[in-house]
Structures are given as structure tokens and as C-alpha cells.
């Protein structure tokens, strides 16, 4: 699963972020990606601590 996650992150960095900048050059997609990764990591950590996941 780690390999699949790595491939997905690499594809988003390589393909989706430049496409998002072409569509709207005034906004940076980096903030959204950073916030999304932070929320995903925090939710996984909370699930592990609470023994629900």
C-alpha cells in the first residue's frame, strides 16, 4: 500500500499540480495539497491512537 500511495503522490506532483496552475495561475495548488496531506495524516494518527482503525 505504501508503493501505491507513493505512486499517487508522484502522479499528483508531476501531472495534476502543473495542470492546476495552467487552469488558474493566480492560485497555488500547493496549499490545498499540503492541507489535505496534513488532515489525512492527523486522521490516521487519531484513528491509531483511539484503537478504532
Amino acid at each position: 500500500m505504501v508503493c501505491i500511495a507513493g505512486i499517487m503522490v508522484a502522479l499528483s506532483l508531476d501531472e495534476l499540480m502543473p495542470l492546476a496552475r495552467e487552469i488558474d495561475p493566480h492560485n497555488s495548488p500547493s496549499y490545498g495539497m499540503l492541507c489535505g496531506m496534513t488532515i489525512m495524516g492527523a486522521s490516521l494518527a487519531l484513528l491509531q491512537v483511539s484503537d478504532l482503525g
Side-chain angles (χ1 to χ4, degrees), residues 23-49:
I23 292 172
D24 190 7
H26 301 293
N27 290 329
S28 177
S30 301
Y31 296 125
M33 188 166 178
L34 180 64
C35 288
M37 287 182 165
T38 303
I39 291 170
M40 293 276 293
S43 66
L44 288 173
L46 286 174
L47 282 173
Q48 190 174 16
V49 169

Side-chain angles (χ1 to χ4, degrees), residues 1-25:
M1 292 188 61
V2 172
C3 291
I4 299 299
I7 291 169
M8 291 176 67
V9 170
L11 283 175
S12 68
L13 290 174
D14 190 41
E15 297 289 330
L16 296 177
M17 287 186 65
L19 181 63
R21 286 189 187 181
E22 285 180 19
I23 292 172
D24 190 7

